[in-house]
Amino acid sequence: MPYRYVLLLVLLFTGGAFTASGQTDLFSQPKKGFASWLPAPSWEHALLSGNGAMGAMVMGNPHDETIILNQAQLYLPATEPKPPIDQASRLDEIRALILAGKGEEAAKVPVKQSMKEGYGGHLWSNPYVPAFDVRLQMEPSNVQKYVRTVDFETGEANVTWTDAKGTYQRRLFVSRPDSAVVISIKGTGKITGRLSFARRPVEWTQWEQINRTVENVNTGATDNKWLTYRSAYKKRWPGSLEGYEGVGRVEVKGGSSRTEGNEFIVQNADEVLVFIKINANYNYAQSQVDQIKKHLASLPADYQALVTRHRNVHGELFNRVKLDLGGGADADLYTEALNLKTKTGQVAPAIIEKQFDAARYNIISATGINPPNLQGIWGGTWSPAWSSDFTHDGNVEVAISALLTSRVPELMHAYFDYHDKRLQFYKDNAKKMFGTRGIHVPSHTSSHGWDNHFDPIWCLSLWTGGAGWTASFYNDYWLHTGDRKFLKERAYPFMKESALFYEDFLKTGQDGKYLFNPSYSPENNPANFKSQASINATMDVMIAKQLLRNCIAAAKELKTDKAQVKIWQEMLTKMPAYEVDEASSLKEWLWPGLQNNHQHRHISHLYSLYDQVDPDFKNNPQLLAGARKVVEEKMKFRYKENGGEMVFGMAQLAFVTANLEDAPTTAQLIDWLSRFYWTNGLGTYHNPGSLFNMDLSGGYPSVIMRALVYSEPGVVKLLPAVPEAWQTGTISGLLLRGGVEVKSLAWSQQEATVVLQAPRKQTITLQAPKNMQLVSGAKATKGERTSNVDLPANKEVRLVFRANP
C-alpha cells in the first residue's frame, strides 16, 4: 500500500478516536491553554486540574505515570486545637512594656503565657497534605513524540505520545457538576498495563510526623471494577477529621481486565476510563465507600459527555473575562521555553496573555469548598511550607483579589463560608486574647479558627487587623454586586462584629487620640527598633478607619443602627493622623521615634491604596506624595533582588502603583511578576523559582485588570496605568464597583472604545485614558479628562475617546 494511503488511514483513525474538545491534532496546543514538552521533574511542575473540592496534579510520564490527588479538607490532625491563651490578663503588661520601648520583652509575654498554659511551644496550624497517588503503568517503548497540555476552557490535563506501539492520549479533568476526577486512556494501539492507588511517598524526615498522626492506610482492588483507598488518623477530638476515603471506578472497553492484589490489570483494551471521588470523613466508623461507589456508578462511561458537562460550568466561569494584547508567535512556545525566554528578554504580550489566563484558571480550579490556601488546592508533600494553610496577613487576600473584578463573585462565597463557620472561634480569640467583644481573625488558620500562633519574633498574636481586613471583602462584594440581601444578612453582621472589637480594644492617649497598643506591621520592625511588637502601626489604623467608614455606609444603606453610627463617627475623630517622615515618606508607625524600614518585602502601610484610593489620601497631596515616596524606596529594595522573594508583596505593590496611575512602575512590576515565578505547569511560586504557591495566581490577573480599569462606586478610570508596551489591546467582562460591567475595552495609541452596562440607572464620573478625551457616546467637555456619563439600567453605553490633537 502506498505510504500516503497508510498515513491517511492513521490520521483518520487517530482523529476519529481522539478528537479532544474540537482538536484534530492531538499534539497541538489548546486554543486557551498551554503545552509542555517534558514530564514534570518534580510535583511542583505538574499539570493542574481541580473543581474546588478535589485537585489533581499530573506528572506526565508516558509509561509510568503518577497523578497526585488532593481534597480540600485534608488538613492532617497533627495538633489538637487549643483555646486561645489568656493573653488578655497580660495585656496591661504588654502595653506597658511596648510604651517603655521594650518590644522584645513584650513579644515574649504571650509565649511565656502559652507555656504556662501547657501549649508546649509554638503551635502551627494543621498542615494541608495530599490524599494519594494514582499509579498508571503501561508497557514501555521508545517515545518518538510527546506533549502534555492543559486546556483552560475544559479543565483538562492531557498527556499525548507516540511510541513504537502507537499514539496514545491520557486525558484528565476534575468535574464540577459530577464531583469526580475523570481519566481516559485511549490509543491507536492496544492498552496493556496496571492501575493502583498508593500512598504519596514519605521522605525520611517526614516519617516521625506520619507515624504520630496516621493510624492506617488500606488500599484495595475488587470486583474487577473498584479501587479503594482508606486512611484513618490517630489523633481525634470532637469535630476533627478522622480520616478520608477515595474510590475509583474502572471501566475497560475491549480486551480483558482483572484485579491482582491491590492492582487493576488491563490487557489489550481499546479504552480505559477511571472515575475517582475522595471524601473527607469526620466519623470514620461510618464508611462512605458504598455511598461514593453509588455516586460513581451513576456516571455514564462516556468521557466526552462528562467533559462537555464540566466545560459548560468551568468554561463559562473561565471565559467571562478575555484579554488580548496582540498575541504573537510566543503564544506557541512550550512552557519550558516560555519560562526560559521570560528570564532573558522582554516579556512578550502573548506570554502575558497566557499567564493571565493560567493564573485565572488556577484560582477558579482551586476555589470551591474553601478559598485557595497557600498551595491553592494542590500539593505533593507531607510537610508543606507554612503548613499550606490560610495566611490572613496578605496571602489569602492576594489569592482572592481578582475574583470580583473578573466577574466570578459566586466563588467569593467560599471565602465568606470559611470565615462564617469560624465566627465562634474568632469571638473566643477576641475575648481571651484582648478582653474584648467582637471577633479577632488570626494570622494563620486551617482546620479551625483559634489563634494558636505564638512566637517571640514573629509576634502575630499581637496583630489585630485580621478581622477588619477580612470584613473589607464582605463590603467589596456588596459594592460589586449590589446584593442587598448579602449586605444585610452576611456582610454587615460580620463588619459589626469586627468593629465591636475596636470599641473595646482602643484606648485614648493623653492627646485624646486612640492608641493601637499592641500593634503590628506584618513581619516588619522599625529600622531603629529590633522588635516587631510596636505601637500605632499605620496599617492597623488604616484597617480600623476603613472598617468604621464601611460600617457607617452600610448602616445608612440599611437604615439601621442610628445610635451605633454616632459611636463609629465619634471613633473616627479619635484616630491617629497619618504622617510623613523627614524624607517625606509615609510613616509605617505613627509613633514618635519609630523610623521607617524600607528594606523589607511587605508594604503594609500602603494598605489604604490596595483596592481603592482612600479618601484621606485622595484629598491630601502630601500623603499621596508620601505614598509615592514609599513606592520609590520599595522599588530600590526590589531592584537589588530583581524582584526578589515573597511575590504577593510585589503584587500588592503593583496594586498600589496601578491605583496611583503610575504606569512605568506598574509595567516594571508586571515584568518581574512575569519572569521568575512560574512553574513548567504554569503554577506559581512564592519566591523566584521556589516554593509552589498560589498567591501570584490571584495577584497577577488582579494587577493587570487594575492597570486597565480603576473603579470606585460612581467613578471609573480607563487605562490608568497601562504599560507603554501594550500599545493595542482589548479586555472584556470586568465587573466594577457599582455593578458596572465592562462589556469591552479596546485601545490603541490613537483611540480607545469602551462599552459599559449597569444593572441600575446611575451617573458615573468617567476618566479618559491619558492624553485622550471623550468624543462620542456622551456629553463631553472640551479639554477636560473627566466626564459625567449617564448609564441607563441594563443598556449598553458605547464611548469613544481619541488622542488629543
Side-chain angles (χ1 to χ4, degrees):
M1 182 180 292
Y3 173 78
R4 64 180 181 273
Y5 294 119
V6 174
L7 180 61
L8 178 61
L9 286 173
V10 170
L11 289 174
L12 285 172
F13 178 64
T14 58
F18 299 123
T19 298
S21 308
Q23 288 176 251
T24 54
D25 180 0
L26 298 181
F27 292 91
S28 66
Q29 285 203 40
K31 181 180 178 182
K32 287 284 188 177
F34 67 86
S36 162
W37 71 285
L38 291 171
S42 63
W43 66 264
E44 291 90 344
H45 294 278
L47 305 180
L48 305 177
S49 183
N51 69 350
M54 292 177 287
M57 308 185 77
V58 178
M59 300 296 286
N61 193 305
H63 302 121
D64 189 12
E65 175 67 295
T66 296
I67 299 169
I68 306 166
L69 297 185
N70 302 91
Q71 205 274 353
Q73 296 161 293
L74 298 191
Y75 292 89
L76 186 68
T79 305
E80 183 173 355
K82 295 187 177 182
I85 62 167
D86 186 13
Q87 180 177 279
S89 68
R90 311 286 297 271
L91 205 56
D92 287 344
E93 179 184 354
I94 292 169
R95 285 170 164 162
L97 287 168
I98 292 175
L99 280 169
K102 299 178 180 179
E104 289 177 290
E105 291 183 39
K108 292 175 182 177
V109 172
V111 181
K112 292 176 182 176
Q113 184 66 25
S114 71
M115 297 299 287
K116 180 180 176 182
E117 295 186 25
Y119 275 68
H122 189 124
L123 295 184
W124 264 100
S125 49
N126 286 320
Y128 183 66
V129 295
F132 54 85
D133 289 354
V134 181
R135 301 285 288 115
L136 303 168
Q137 285 100 21
M138 293 176 62
E139 289 187 322
S141 178
N142 286 344
V143 175
Q144 301 161 13
K145 192 174 183 180
Y146 173 90
V147 71
R148 61 179 188 143
T149 63
V150 168
D151 188 321
F152 299 144
E153 294 181 286
T154 66
E156 290 177 286
N158 297 338
V159 182
T160 308
W161 72 96
T162 298
D163 60 25
K165 298 178 184 295
T167 294
Y168 296 88
Q169 185 169 62
R170 198 163 48 236
R171 303 166 66 186
L172 174 148
F173 68 95
V174 189
S175 175
R176 276 190 183 266
D178 291 310
S179 188
V181 180
V182 182
I183 304 170
S184 165
I185 309 169
K186 293 178 76 171
T188 60
K190 298 294 185 178
I191 299 165
T192 295
R194 54 187 62 217
L195 297 80
S196 61
F197 290 168
R199 194 210 309 245
R200 178 100 276 264
V202 180
E203 298 174 14
W204 70 270
T205 55
Q206 299 167 337
W207 273 113
E208 181 181 355
Q209 174 175 272
I210 295 297
N211 291 332
R212 283 200 322 265
T213 55
V214 179
E215 185 172 88
N216 58 59
V217 170
N218 293 299
T219 60
T222 59
D223 301 331
N224 200 29
K225 181 181 285 286
W226 301 106
L227 292 169
T228 56
Y229 188 103
R230 302 187 74 231
S231 181
Y233 294 139
K234 288 182 178 179
K235 297 185 177 183
R236 300 181 182 182
W237 46 85
S240 73
L241 182 65
E242 296 186 358
Y244 61 96
E245 296 164 301
V247 177
R249 167 192 163 201
V250 184
E251 294 288 342
V252 178
K253 298 183 179 182
S256 63
S257 61
R258 70 182 190 278
T259 55
E260 186 177 286
N262 295 328
E263 292 186 310
F264 201 96
I265 312 299
V266 177
Q267 290 183 308
N268 298 318
D270 297 319
E271 181 181 14
V272 177
L273 289 169
V274 187
F275 311 90
I276 304 168
K277 183 173 173 59
I278 304 166
N279 277 8
N281 195 324
Y282 293 85
N283 181 11
Y284 198 74
Q286 298 293 319
S287 174
Q288 299 180 35
V289 167
D290 288 343
Q291 173 189 333
I292 300 172
K293 284 183 177 180
K294 184 177 180 180
H295 170 74
L296 294 177
S298 71
L299 302 180
D302 183 337
Y303 181 91
Q304 198 57 48
L306 291 170
V307 77
T308 298
R309 283 212 300 242
H310 176 61
R311 178 178 182 154
N312 289 341
V313 178
H314 167 92
E316 193 277 329
L317 291 170
F318 174 79
N319 282 317
R320 288 185 192 175
V321 170
K322 296 180 180 180
L323 173 71
D324 183 351
L325 297 177
D330 287 337
D332 296 326
L333 289 173
Y334 289 126
T335 55
E336 293 83 359
L338 183 151
N339 286 337
L340 280 173
K341 186 165 186 176
T342 60
K343 293 173 184 176
T344 56
Q346 185 176 9
V347 181
I351 293 175
I352 291 171
E353 290 173 16
K354 192 175 292 288
Q355 291 173 336
F356 178 86
D357 286 342
R360 290 188 56 246
Y361 168 82
N362 294 340
I363 295 299
I364 289 170
S365 301
T367 306
I369 290 177
N370 292 321
N373 65 27
L374 290 176
Q375 294 176 174
I377 200 173
W378 302 284
T381 177
W382 294 97
S383 51
W386 304 291
S387 291
S388 186
D389 65 12
F390 299 95
T391 305
H392 301 291
D393 65 346
N395 302 75
V396 179
E397 291 83 0
V398 172
I400 65 171
S401 62
L403 292 179
L404 290 172
T405 313
S406 60
R407 208 161 48 89
V408 286
E410 61 265 53
L411 296 185
M412 282 295 296
H413 283 268
Y415 180 76
F416 305 136
D417 291 345
Y418 180 87
H419 285 293
D420 286 353
K421 289 174 185 174
R422 287 160 177 77
L423 274 172
Q424 188 55 55
F425 289 105
Y426 299 162
K427 290 179 180 180
D428 294 342
N429 293 336
K431 182 177 180 180
K432 291 282 289 181
M433 300 185 71
F434 296 97
T436 71
R437 298 167 295 164
I439 58 175
H440 163 65
V441 175
S443 58
H444 292 273
T445 63
S446 60
S447 49
H448 64 87
W450 278 332
D451 192 338
N452 289 169
H453 194 100
F454 309 102
D455 191 279
I457 297 175
W458 314 94
C459 46
L460 288 159
S461 71
L462 304 182
W463 184 56
T464 59
W469 196 350
T470 301
S472 74
F473 288 94
Y474 283 76
N475 187 70
D476 217 21
Y477 181 92
W478 148 249
L479 295 181
H480 280 82
T481 66
D483 186 341
R484 202 167 185 277
K485 186 174 186 288
F486 178 86
L487 177 67
K488 180 180 180 180
E489 297 179 3
R490 299 193 69 176
Y492 185 56
F494 192 96
M495 292 157 63
K496 282 179 67 176
E497 289 289 344
S498 304
L500 199 58
F501 172 88
Y502 288 111
E503 290 183 38
D504 294 347
F505 171 73
L506 295 176
K507 309 297 179 185
T508 53
Q510 293 181 351
D511 60 356
K513 297 293 185 181
Y514 284 132
L515 294 178
F516 286 75
N517 182 15
S519 193
Y520 185 77
S521 192
E523 302 182 19
N524 198 11
N525 57 277
N528 60 335
F529 195 62
K530 291 183 179 180
S531 176
Q532 295 178 18
S534 61
I535 189 167
N536 280 12
T538 302
M539 182 191 205
D540 282 344
V541 180
M542 289 174 164
I543 289 173
K545 291 184 74 172
Q546 178 197 57
L547 172 65
L548 294 176
R549 285 171 176 159
N550 289 343
C551 283
I552 291 168
K556 290 181 176 179
E557 170 67 28
L558 296 171
K559 297 179 173 57
T560 188
D561 291 339
K562 288 184 179 180
Q564 189 64 44
V565 166
K566 290 181 180 179
I567 292 172
W568 293 329
Q569 289 172 332
E570 176 66 18
M571 290 176 69
L572 283 171
T573 68
K574 298 180 181 180
M575 291 291 169
Y578 302 136
E579 301 174 11
V580 297
D581 64 13
E582 61 280 357
S584 299
S585 293
L586 184 70
K587 292 183 66 174
E588 190 164 355
W589 295 271
L590 306 174
W591 193 250
L594 298 184
Q595 296 176 5
N596 275 345
N597 182 4
H598 297 302
Q599 304 302 304
H600 195 266
R601 57 197 178 275
H602 277 271
I603 56 161
S604 301
H605 53 315
L606 298 184
Y607 174 87
S608 286
L609 302 170
Y610 284 1
D611 295 317
Q612 303 178 62
V613 178
D614 185 278
D616 288 325
F617 285 78
K618 189 186 302 184
N619 302 322
N620 190 320
Q622 184 187 31
L623 291 182
L624 277 176
R628 290 191 175 96
K629 184 67 175 177
V630 172
V631 169
E632 180 184 325
E633 295 297 328
K634 291 294 183 179
M635 288 299 288
K636 291 177 184 177
F637 172 69
R638 289 287 181 179
Y639 269 113
K640 290 178 184 177
E641 300 184 347
N642 212 12
E645 67 175 6
M646 204 192 84
V647 74
F648 86 79
M650 188 154 48
Q652 288 173 326
L653 186 58
F655 295 172
V656 172
T657 60
N659 291 342
L660 291 176
E661 304 181 47
D662 180 351
T665 306
T666 303
Q668 177 60 70
L669 290 164
I670 291 173
D671 183 77
W672 283 331
L673 295 173
S674 300
R675 287 182 186 278
F676 306 115
Y677 303 91
W678 299 84
T679 75
N680 291 343
L682 292 193
T684 48
Y685 289 125
H686 182 273
N687 295 334
S690 67
L691 290 176
F692 181 91
N693 181 282
M694 281 295 134
D695 300 347
L696 179 59
S697 286
Y700 189 79
S702 190
V703 169
I704 289 171
M705 291 186 292
R706 290 165 200 246
L708 299 179
V709 183
Y710 169 89
S711 75
E712 306 172 0
V715 176
V716 174
K717 298 179 181 179
L718 300 178
L719 307 178
V722 60
E724 185 178 1
W726 303 358
Q727 295 187 0
T728 63
T730 63
I731 193 166
S732 63
L734 305 188
L735 180 64
L736 310 182
R737 295 177 181 93
V740 178
E741 182 183 341
V742 179
K743 305 293 285 188
S744 67
L745 169 63
W747 70 92
S748 66
Q749 289 183 296
Q750 298 301 316
E751 185 174 285
T753 303
V754 66
V755 178
L756 304 176
Q757 183 172 314
R760 59 188 179 278
K761 183 180 179 181
Q762 57 184 284
T763 299
I764 63 169
T765 300
L766 186 68
Q767 179 178 292
K770 187 177 181 181
N771 299 323
M772 290 188 182
Q773 64 184 44
L774 182 63
V775 296
S776 72
K779 185 178 180 180
T781 305
K782 188 175 181 179
E784 291 187 4
R785 193 176 170 192
T786 60
S787 304
N788 291 330
V789 176
D790 293 326
L791 300 178
N794 298 312
K795 290 185 179 180
E796 292 185 358
V797 174
R798 184 174 183 270
L799 305 163
V800 180
F801 306 83
R802 291 208 178 94
N804 296 326

